[in-house]
Amino acid sequence: APVTYHADDAVIMDIPGKKFYLFGKTTVDFDQINLKAAEVDFDQATNMLKARYVEDTAGERHGAPIFSQKGQQPFQSDSMLYDFKTKKGKIYSTVSQQGEGFMYSEQVKRQADNSINAYMNRYTTCDEDPPHFDFHAKKIKIIPNKLMISGPANLEVEGVPTPLFIPFAIFPLT
């Protein structure tokens, strides 16, 4: 499928190196995927796309990458990698809405079948940031619009771990 892109500030093409650099409120559309970020790099030789936010002189973050796919919840993150050939991606420090809950993850791998594997997670139904309570789990697998499966999880209240552990969890997302 063709890749369409737009950048408010600059588009730099390195023709011999087969690389594109997009700066300032960028938008990339590919098949059913939409990505918005402050800066995007694309390497044609490896089919790898990198997106990230930028910091201004005051240290404020702007243009955090927002990855969305038709029919699924969008992901907002600090940075991300996406391989156009394998249709797999890796997203860092992300927040997403899964059903009626919110998932905070340090790393998320999106597989070609649209399933999601996440590492170092917090799942909560609290819409405050940071949440008042959450289940902290090391690994989670999500089957979009169906269910979320977790290994051992610990309930945390106001950031304080409780002695309540569950050996595994299955959360329906519909």
Side-chain angles (χ1 to χ4, degrees):
V3 177
T4 58
Y5 57 88
H6 170 78
D8 282 355
D9 292 343
V11 176
I12 299 173
M13 294 183 188
D14 176 10
I15 304 288
K18 294 185 177 185
K19 295 182 181 179
F20 298 85
Y21 302 96
L22 309 172
F23 298 97
K25 289 190 181 178
T26 65
T27 303
V28 177
D29 292 307
F30 170 72
D31 200 17
Q32 297 182 355
I33 295 170
N34 177 273
L35 172 67
K36 295 178 181 178
E39 292 182 357
V40 174
D41 301 341
F42 178 66
D43 187 348
Q44 266 187 321
T46 61
N47 290 313
M48 287 297 292
L49 178 131
K50 297 176 186 175
R52 62 192 165 280
Y53 65 87
V54 294
E55 285 187 2
D56 60 13
T57 56
E60 296 289 321
R61 294 180 177 184
H62 299 283
I66 299 173
F67 178 88
S68 59
Q69 190 167 4
K70 191 174 184 178
Q72 295 184 19
Q73 297 291 336
F75 284 89
Q76 181 174 350
S77 64
D78 284 351
S79 62
M80 68 167 293
L81 300 169
Y82 185 78
D83 188 338
F84 281 97
K85 196 173 201 175
T86 62
K87 296 186 178 180
K88 292 182 181 180
K90 193 166 187 181
I91 305 168
Y92 297 93
S93 299
T94 184
V95 178
S96 64
Q97 186 170 1
Q98 300 294 333
E100 293 183 18
F102 298 93
M103 187 174 76
Y104 298 80
S105 303
E106 283 186 21
Q107 291 183 20
V108 174
K109 287 184 183 177
R110 185 176 208 82
Q111 304 297 330
D113 65 354
N114 290 331
S115 67
I116 297 165
N117 296 327
Y119 175 72
M120 296 306 287
N121 307 281
R122 295 181 310 164
Y123 180 75
T124 182
T125 55
C126 178
D127 59 358
E128 296 291 322
D129 188 21
H132 295 106
F133 63 92
D134 58 51
F135 283 98
H136 182 81
K138 188 172 182 178
K139 295 180 181 179
I140 288 178
K141 174 144 184 121
I142 297 173
I143 301 169
N145 301 321
K146 291 185 182 174
L147 50 100
M148 180 172 67
I149 304 163
S150 165
N154 182 5
L155 177 65
E156 291 185 5
V157 179
E158 294 288 338
V160 178
T162 65
L164 299 174
F165 273 91
I166 52 176
F168 68 92
I170 299 175
F171 298 102
L173 299 177
T174 55

